[in-house]
């Protein structure tokens, strides 16, 4: 990286995973799902058994923070049930390994998966999911408050609600059910408000608890300047996926439930004849190249949008921000290194302009189960060879590059 990017001393340089994507051996709505490439999550990276090894890898990387999920379906066998002590102990041991390694945990309570009894009751369409989630959060926080002060209630509620009820990508695979989308967001926002209050009231071991959601941010636009209908669809998408969701979670009295705003930023989607010009929509790399649309294997890259977004969030909400996810999926490591560099520059410039950003979590620690795309998207700082039953991890060049940044506290000559 040319030049110095200096970050505050206590800045969190982290990485992130989620239970269904890395742990394996989960019993939730993904267990029997088979992805487009034939992959399933039943073993995934076997992080469930190999977390100690993975914490050692984190130490080698030099990260000082880890955003990890705790899988609700492991901890509660029924609504309002006591937490499963054996599973809790395993997570406690993981948290203790992180502590020994001087790695601060941020715990995510909901990352695209639910206990089977929530699914059987109609998932997040059923208002009973709200008190059940709040009960889970309250019990978990009471059990872990001496070890965890950073809590992330919901990961990308917009992605979850849209892929379950609008786009048919996540179980239960429904399409164009707008009322259901709206209902899920409303229930999750209420659950966040109540759980947020419980988390803040619980106190903790010395550090004041912090709580927030992680909002995925995709900006929508039209590819062609005068394509009126594409502009219209972009505006509707922006309203449904961004504005409405943020208003529900952070509007009115709900604003006080959050002490921070988590941002997952990957890029933008530009519409061309109602089609998003992104690889996840089936548009080929050749076509995107012809059109001059720069993408990883998932989305269009748009680093300047990152800086602009951070300034906008800072002005609108005035909350401290964590970049709860950024990363790129590609077998071209130079591309991924460039992508990271460009986004960190934007981040640094926004912070220079007064935006209060407290940490950055690279997605992801490991190559992992990328939901409907299976194992074909390579996001890892460590690669995992899924064709080998031993699931060997290997440092990537991006991992080495990020490690240099973490170890130097953001300064890389
Ligand atoms: C956001 C999600 O939180 C995560 O589960 C996913 O793997 C990454 N984006 C990459 O698509």
């Amino acid at each position: 990286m040319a030049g110095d990017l200096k970050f505050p001393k206590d800045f969190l340089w982290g990485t992130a995973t989620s239970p269904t994507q890395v742990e394996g051996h989960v019993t939730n709505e993904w267990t029997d799902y088979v992805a487009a490439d034939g992959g399933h999550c039943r073993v995934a990276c076997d992080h469930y058994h190999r977390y100690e090894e993975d914490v050692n890898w984190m130490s080698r990387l030099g990260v000082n923070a880890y955003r990890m999920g705790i899988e609700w379906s492991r901890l509660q066998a029924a609504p309002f049930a006591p937490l499963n002590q054996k599973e809790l102990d395993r997570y406690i041991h993981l948290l203790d390994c992180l502590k020994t390694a001087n790695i601060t945990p941020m715990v995510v309570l909901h990352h695209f998966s639910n206990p089977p009894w929530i699914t059987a009751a109609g998932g997040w369409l059923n208002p009973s999911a709200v008190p059940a989630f709040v009960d889970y959060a309250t019990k978990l926080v009471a059990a872990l408050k001496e070890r965890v002060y950073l809590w992330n209630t919901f990961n990308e509620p917009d992605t979850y609600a849209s892929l379950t009820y609008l786009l048919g990508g996540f179980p239960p695979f429904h399409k164009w059910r707008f009322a259901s989308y709206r209902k899920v967001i409303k229930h999750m926002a209420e659950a966040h408000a109540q759980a947020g209050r419980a988390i803040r009231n619980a106190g903790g071991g010395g550090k004041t608890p912090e709580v927030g959601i992680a909002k995925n941010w995709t900006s929508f636009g039209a590819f062609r300047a005068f394509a009126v209908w594409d502009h219209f669809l972009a505006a509707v998408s922006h309203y449904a996926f961004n504005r409405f969701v943020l208003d529900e979670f952070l509007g009115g009295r709900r604003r006080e439930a959050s002490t921070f705003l988590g941002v997952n930023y990957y890029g933008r989607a530009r519409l061309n004849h109602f089609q998003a010009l992104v690889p996840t929509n089936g548009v080929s790399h050749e076509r995107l190249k012809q059109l001059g649309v720069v993408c990883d294997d998932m989305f269009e890259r748009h680093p300047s949008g990152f800086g602009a977004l951070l300034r906008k969030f800072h002005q609108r909400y005035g909350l401290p921000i964590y970049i709860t996810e950024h990363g790129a999926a590609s077998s071209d490591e130079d591309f991924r290194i460039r992508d990271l560099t460009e986004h960190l520059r934007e981040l640094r410039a926004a912070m220079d302009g007064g935006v209060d950003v407290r940490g950055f979590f690279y997605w992801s620690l490991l190559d992992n189960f990328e939901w409907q795309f299976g194992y074909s998207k390579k996001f890892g700082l460590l690669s995992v060879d899924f064709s080998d039953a031993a699931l060997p991890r290997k440092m990537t060049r991006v991992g080495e590059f990020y490690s240099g940044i973490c170890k130097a506290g953001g300064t890389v000559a």
Side-chain angles (χ1 to χ4, degrees):
M1 190 188 297
D4 275 1
L5 297 176
K6 288 211 169 52
F7 285 76
K9 251 190 153 28
D10 53 357
F11 194 80
L12 295 184
W13 289 105
T15 184
T17 63
S18 87
T20 305
Q21 293 180 274
V22 299
E23 285 182 350
H25 325 284
V26 286
T27 305
N28 62 32
E29 66 267 57
W30 291 96
T31 310
D32 295 324
Y33 174 81
V34 180
D37 66 350
H40 57 71
C41 67
R42 281 180 227 140
V43 178
C45 308
D46 203 18
H47 182 71
Y48 184 76
H49 295 112
R50 295 171 64 166
Y51 59 88
E52 291 186 71
E53 178 188 341
D54 290 336
V55 173
N56 287 338
W57 278 110
M58 284 187 242
S59 293
R60 278 178 62 181
L61 279 165
V63 296
N64 62 12
Y66 178 41
R67 177 173 176 260
M68 54 173 267
I70 291 192
E71 175 64 18
W72 187 6
S73 58
R74 293 191 197 284
L75 285 242
Q76 275 189 318
F80 308 104
L83 301 185
N84 177 315
Q85 195 58 46
K86 182 171 155 267
E87 297 295 343
L88 184 62
D89 285 346
R90 185 194 146 277
Y91 281 116
I92 287 177
H93 186 233
L94 164 55
L95 291 167
D96 289 346
C97 292
L98 291 170
K99 185 164 189 202
T100 308
N102 276 320
I103 297 172
T104 300
M106 173 185 277
V107 167
V108 184
L109 298 176
H110 187 277
H111 196 130
F112 302 168
S113 66
N114 299 287
W117 46 269
I118 284 276
T119 306
W124 283 88
L125 291 180
N126 189 331
S128 68
V130 176
F133 179 83
V134 176
D135 173 72
Y136 168 58
T138 308
K139 286 176 175 148
L140 193 67
V141 171
L144 301 183
K145 65 183 187 187
E146 304 303 322
R147 291 175 168 86
V148 179
Y149 76 96
L150 285 172
W151 295 93
N152 188 175
T153 52
F154 288 94
N155 175 68
E156 299 194 355
D158 49 317
T159 305
Y160 175 75
S162 61
L163 282 161
T164 47
Y165 292 105
L166 292 182
L167 305 172
F170 286 8
F173 311 110
H174 292 305
K175 283 196 174 173
W176 311 124
R177 298 198 181 176
F178 289 97
S180 302
Y181 172 79
R182 204 165 165 271
K183 210 180 248 184
V184 169
I185 294 294
K186 283 190 173 279
H187 288 158
M188 286 186 156
E190 182 54 29
H192 168 72
Q194 292 184 29
R197 222 170 292 132
I199 290 168
R200 282 181 303 129
N201 291 341
K207 287 247 188 191
T208 310
E210 296 182 30
V211 58
I213 59 161
K215 173 72 182 83
N216 167 57
W217 187 270
T218 302
S219 54
F220 298 92
F223 181 67
R224 291 161 304 137
F226 301 108
V228 178
W229 287 105
D230 284 338
H231 277 290
F232 175 72
L233 185 59
V236 171
S237 305
H238 173 71
Y239 174 76
F241 299 130
N242 294 329
R243 196 62 209 239
F244 164 68
V245 177
L246 285 167
D247 285 353
E248 285 298 319
F249 278 88
L250 291 173
R253 68 178 176 87
R254 293 218 179 115
R255 162 69 177 71
E256 73 210 32
S258 301
T259 67
F260 71 82
L261 177 56
V263 178
N264 291 1
Y265 184 83
Y266 289 90
R268 70 177 167 183
R270 283 188 289 166
L271 301 164
N272 192 28
H273 303 294
F274 301 112
Q275 289 294 314
L277 291 174
V278 290
T280 49
N281 197 29
V283 188
S284 72
H285 278 289
E286 292 67 45
R287 176 80 184 126
L288 292 165
K289 214 170 169 186
Q290 272 169 11
L291 295 171
V293 179
V294 179
C295 295
D296 71 343
D297 292 345
M298 302 278 290
F299 305 108
E300 184 182 358
R301 302 282 112 179
H302 187 41
S304 64
F306 186 38
L309 172 70
L310 294 174
R311 285 184 277 274
K312 176 161 129 176
F313 277 170
H314 176 67
Q315 265 175 11
R316 184 170 297 159
Y317 301 109
L319 285 167
I321 293 173
Y322 288 92
I323 310 308
T324 33
E325 287 183 27
H326 174 76
S330 174
S331 48
D332 179 348
E333 296 219 42
D334 291 325
F335 175 88
R336 292 179 68 198
I337 289 172
R338 234 176 12 250
D339 171 85
L340 176 56
T341 307
E342 287 168 7
H343 284 82
L344 290 181
R345 273 193 207 299
E346 287 291 330
L347 172 60
R348 182 60 268 182
M351 289 170 72
D352 284 340
V355 182
D356 179 6
V357 183
R358 308 262 170 104
F360 176 93
F361 294 81
Y362 191 87
W363 185 268
S364 176
L365 172 66
L366 301 161
D367 285 344
N368 63 45
F369 175 71
E370 178 59 29
W371 312 109
Q372 59 292 38
F373 304 105
Y375 295 95
S376 54
K377 312 291 179 194
K378 307 294 184 192
F379 278 103
L381 293 169
L382 305 170
S383 67
V384 179
D385 182 355
F386 293 101
S387 67
D388 181 337
L391 297 169
R393 281 83 161 129
K394 206 170 131 211
M395 186 67 82
T396 61
R397 283 207 293 118
V398 189
E400 268 159 23
F401 180 76
Y402 188 55
S403 176
I405 295 173
C406 296
K407 287 179 182 160
T411 311
V412 177

